[in-house]
Amino acid sequence: MSDDSVATIRRPFTAARARRLLALVLAVPMLSMVALAPACADDDDDDDEAYAIGLWGDLPYSTLQATVGVPNLIADMNAHRLKFTAHDGDLKQGSGSFCDAGLYAQALAYFNSLEAPAMFTPGDNDWTDCDRPANGGFNSRDRLDYERKVFFSTPDSLGQHRIRQEVQNEALCLGANGTMVACVENRRWTVGRVTYATLNVAGSCNNLCDTNPDAAEFTARNAANIRWLQETFAAAKKHRSVAVMLITQANPGWDKTDATRAPLRDPKMLAEIDEQPDGYAAFLSALRDEVTAFRRPVAYVHGDSHYFRIDQPLLDAQGQRLENFTRVETFGDNQGNGNNDVRWVKVTVDPRSRDVFSYQAVTVPANRTAVPAPARN
């Protein structure tokens, strides 16, 4: 299959597939009289069939991770026959390595060595923070434009098998030359009866703090993100999706309990209370409205603070926990542990189950160092 084709991932021959095949056979005499619509990635699948996806991010942060840990992780994900994978941003450490062409070429090679379709959303370390002198003093808008060219130049995903995605093609973001450009990194796709989307919500206050804050870039992209968020839930309702998963990079802060890892926020008002620029309040407010109206399960995936957790931190304006919302933070780097924090999260997606998503922390056997994997009998 060529890279620019829409991937069809083969599944077991189910009763549902048999019914569709019979219908196709019966319809053969009529094919000359109708135009056939393009195939979708799911056309060969039972919409109610369970499948698995892989989540990772904030990797690699060191030479050891780049040359050993991440290749081991990719091999492990490939062995699990996943429906797709998603990297939730940060292709390198925050300071001390350049945001040059080699960085993005290395990441592209990683993504395209994954057998399943591979999704990616940018992180602050690979564009917002590239203006730090230790990262080469690049223009952050220029680095984001470059990422759009390298990773998002077509409507297809990355990976050895690819699926066609919906793209935010309107010129709503602010490019390096001061003109409005398409926010092509914002993507949406549906597998079975679940809708997925990436949104470019970055760390470093969403580009409102750090070395060179850029309020104009933030304002345009934040409005585009909110529109993409709202359109994603509208699409999910139209397609009668049973759940939504959103994949972003930043930990926006959800309450007052996590000062070492995230902004402090009033959980009812959703306003930041730590005297730092707040690049997330408007987005979180829109998110809360959509989650409440959707009523079905919503998973919100992010990285940024390198602390694996699955919890329910989103409250409504009365302080009641939104029961249908789950935050999933992927592992990310911990330099103190070298290679053995290079791991991923496996999500089983079952449209027939009440909660739709279930989660498993996956330790890569080849990356175990403190307690090596047991020998096979």
Side-chain angles (χ1 to χ4, degrees), residues 91-114:
L91 302 174
K92 69 174 193 68
Q93 66 268 46
S95 294
S97 60
F98 279 13
C99 298
D100 57 12
L103 168 69
Y104 308 106
Q106 173 182 261
L108 185 64
Y110 288 147
F111 297 144
N112 285 337
S113 65
L114 286 157

Side-chain angles (χ1 to χ4, degrees), residues 339-359:
N339 198 50
N340 67 355
D341 271 332
V342 180
R343 58 182 91 178
W344 57 285
V345 180
K346 183 177 182 180
V347 184
T348 298
V349 185
D350 186 352
R352 298 162 297 186
S353 69
R354 182 175 58 192
D355 296 319
V356 183
F357 304 113
S358 57
Y359 306 94

